[in-house]
Amino acid sequence: MELVAAAASLSPATILVIALSLAMAAIISHSLLKLSVIKAAQNYPNLPPGSMGFPFLGQTLGLLKPHPSNSIGTFLHHHCSRYGKVFKSHLFGWPAIVSCDQELNMFILQNDDKLFKVSYPKAMHGILGTNSLIIAAGDTHRKLRNVVVSFIGWCKSRPSFLHCVHNLTISLMDSWRSQNQVFFCKEVKMFALSIMVKELLGIEAKEAIGSKILEEFEKYMKGFVSLPINLPGTAYSNAVKARERLSCMVKEMMRERKRRGMVVGADEDFLQVIMSNWKLNDEEIVSVVLDILLGGYETTATLMGLIVYFLAHSPPNVLAKLKEEHEAIRIRKRNGESLNLEDYKQMEFTNNVMFEAMRCGNVVKFLHREAVKDVKFKEIVIPSGWKVHPVFSAVHLDPALHPNPQQFNPWRWTDDKEMGKKVTPFGGGPRLCPGVELAKLEISFFLHHLVLNYRWKTRADECPLAYPYVQFKRDLLLEIEPCSC
């Protein structure tokens, strides 16, 4: 209290001077620590080649420059051509090793929480929260991951979940009947969010609170790769505030359940399951809910957009084969029965299409890691304290691994039995994305109805762009036409 009273007596000019002094002290401290890490690394003769770019800024802007997501971009192309698939750089304010090499990437993923630790820029902590599954490590990460895995199993075991996906898909298809154009990404984001908020929170996305969640998530996502300037009106500030508002919404839902005298063991929705069966504090519950919404809404919708885009730009035999597979499933069904898990298991070519879209489109471009000790890999050394960025897109589009890598060819997943080892769209090791099967299930059911009901094409200048997260210029505007069959 004494400190508060003393601060209140200071003039605005004095407070500004103190704030600037503290900021400068933080910058100097960070710079000295960084210089000590770089200087210590000079003793290593086996550092990869590369350049550190401009002082302080390094080469971050070059890496993050938007480019088509089915390419590696000019920055990686230039550096790989000059230095090879593994090179040193200066990114996100720190010395870094960038890996575009398949073997090293797998080595990093398999040694998560051993030789490497998660190390996202501190600015992202303000958006994600300290308990996010993306940032958490050790026992905390394992505990939160188990809750997410439980949610996946809970959904797949409930016939109501499959009916929900079926009914929402049919409803969306019907709503397009009178239209000749749709903003596809906007539509499928609402579709994916509708599923998640229904199963997770027990609410309909069309309710006022469901619309509010979608609105806040849009702001939340835009702050992920923005400049970390926490000033009013900036994308970063808007994202931090959106996260706070989303957190308040979830906590209010939790308070409402407690006011109702929630029955222990009840499972009306998964939030209730978490509160009944898992020993988590309120902040951990909020983080789990937001992580599930983020993965089940943004990532799923983005992948749907990539699939539809690549199908529109591929040879006709790709869509014909996909339609043939789903027509066979429709013939086996009677009276418009809902799809079930057995139907899903028959969608082999659909599975190939999804993974090929992930390989070509790269929902996740790269990860943030840090070496916790000196790491030797073959002839190179990664010094302790250096950041490490395994780049998935460079491996996915490597012509040495994938002949004609720019070609969308789902058959490569049938012909090449080693494809699964060359593509890591969902990460790997102990941090493999736990929601992969649920996302595949939702997308497969959606594609079933889409390919049997509509034809579509995109604008000539439309393409997926990496920011590094994937985004379409106009929310993937499609020209659609109902199928005559």
Side-chain angles (χ1 to χ4, degrees), residues 127 218-242 469:
I127 300 176
E218 287 292 303
K219 299 173 185 174
Y220 187 55
M221 280 303 302
K222 288 179 181 178
F224 271 102
V225 293
S226 62
L227 291 174
I229 301 173
N230 200 2
L231 294 175
T234 63
Y236 180 80
S237 175
N238 291 341
V240 172
K241 291 176 181 176
Y469 65 90

Side-chain angles (χ1 to χ4, degrees), residues 72 85 99-103 105-106 359 362 365 390-402 405 421-424:
I72 63 174
K85 293 182 180 180
S99 171
C100 298
D101 178 77
Q102 179 202 12
E103 288 188 63
N105 284 3
M106 291 305 298
R359 183 193 69 81
N362 298 291
K365 180 177 178 179
V391 183
F392 295 159
S393 58
V395 174
H396 295 170
L397 300 171
D398 186 345
L401 298 172
H402 311 289
K421 298 179 181 179
K422 301 175 185 177
V423 179
T424 49

Side-chain angles (χ1 to χ4, degrees), residues 108-336:
I108 294 167
L109 293 174
Q110 294 299 329
N111 284 282
D112 254 329
D113 296 330
K114 297 176 185 176
L115 302 177
F116 305 95
K117 66 178 181 180
V118 171
S119 184
Y120 284 89
K122 287 188 177 180
M124 288 188 67
H125 292 228
I127 300 176
L128 291 168
T130 55
N131 291 305
S132 172
L133 190 64
I134 299 173
I135 292 173
D139 291 339
T140 301
H141 175 264
R142 284 187 285 273
K143 177 175 66 173
L144 298 178
R145 192 178 193 280
N146 286 339
V147 180
V148 177
V149 171
S150 175
F151 172 72
I152 307 306
W154 185 80
C155 286
K156 292 179 67 176
S157 67
R158 288 162 56 92
S160 61
F161 170 76
L162 301 182
H163 288 305
C164 175
V165 177
H166 173 83
N167 293 335
L168 285 171
T169 306
I170 294 298
S171 177
L172 184 58
M173 296 296 126
D174 289 344
S175 73
W176 291 352
R177 293 293 176 190
S178 60
Q179 302 180 55
N180 53 28
Q181 289 186 334
V182 295
F183 290 98
F184 185 79
C185 287
K186 181 179 179 180
E187 297 273 356
V188 294
K189 281 181 180 179
M190 179 58 78
F191 168 80
L193 180 67
S194 298
I195 295 171
M196 287 296 102
V197 297
K198 176 65 175 176
E199 297 301 314
L200 186 58
L201 304 174
I203 62 176
E204 302 290 340
K206 291 184 179 179
E207 295 178 35
I209 190 170
S211 299
K212 185 63 176 174
I213 289 173
L214 177 61
E215 178 186 336
E216 297 298 344
F217 250 97
E218 287 292 303
K219 299 173 185 174
Y220 187 55
M221 280 303 302
K222 288 179 181 178
F224 271 102
V225 293
S226 62
L227 291 174
I229 301 173
N230 200 2
L231 294 175
T234 63
Y236 180 80
S237 175
N238 291 341
V240 172
K241 291 176 181 176
R243 205 267 181 195
E244 292 174 356
R245 288 190 289 268
L246 288 165
S247 175
C248 289
M249 290 182 205
V250 176
K251 288 179 180 177
E252 177 56 34
M253 293 176 197
M254 293 164 63
R255 285 192 290 269
E256 176 60 28
R257 282 161 172 72
K258 291 174 182 176
R259 283 196 293 266
R260 292 203 314 256
M262 183 185 66
V263 179
V264 175
D267 63 350
E268 295 177 10
D269 55 61
F270 196 71
L271 176 58
Q272 201 154 300
V273 173
I274 297 174
M275 295 175 67
S276 300
N277 302 330
W278 294 86
K279 295 180 179 179
L280 303 179
N281 61 43
D282 286 358
E283 293 301 327
E284 288 174 331
I285 293 175
V286 167
S287 286
V288 167
V289 168
L290 296 185
D291 283 344
I292 291 175
L293 286 176
L294 179 62
Y297 148 68
E298 181 68 29
T299 308
T300 302
T302 298
L303 179 53
M304 285 181 176
L306 289 171
I307 292 170
V308 166
Y309 171 82
F310 286 120
L311 286 174
H313 291 264
S314 298
N317 64 328
V318 177
L319 183 56
K321 176 64 177 178
L322 185 63
K323 189 172 182 178
E324 177 186 314
E325 180 172 86
H326 288 281
E327 184 63 46
I329 293 172
R330 179 165 65 177
I331 291 173
R332 290 199 300 270
K333 310 298 289 185
R334 295 180 180 179
N335 302 319

Side-chain angles (χ1 to χ4, degrees), residues 327-400:
E327 184 63 46
I329 293 172
R330 179 165 65 177
I331 291 173
R332 290 199 300 270
K333 310 298 289 185
R334 295 180 180 179
N335 302 319
E337 291 176 309
S338 297
L339 297 171
N340 55 41
L341 291 178
E342 288 304 313
D343 298 319
Y344 171 63
K345 293 176 184 177
Q346 301 300 315
M347 300 179 185
E348 295 182 6
F349 190 73
T350 304
N351 187 69
N352 291 354
V353 167
M354 282 190 285
F355 274 93
E356 183 68 350
M358 286 186 278
R359 183 193 69 81
C360 288
N362 298 291
V363 176
V364 178
K365 180 177 178 179
F366 60 88
L367 298 179
H368 296 257
R369 296 293 186 264
E370 180 182 324
V372 299
K373 61 177 74 173
D374 292 346
V375 178
K376 189 174 187 303
F377 179 80
K378 295 185 176 179
E379 296 82 20
I380 69 169
V381 170
I382 302 173
S384 174
W386 277 48
K387 307 302 181 183
V388 185
H389 300 290
V391 183
F392 295 159
S393 58
V395 174
H396 295 170
L397 300 171
D398 186 345

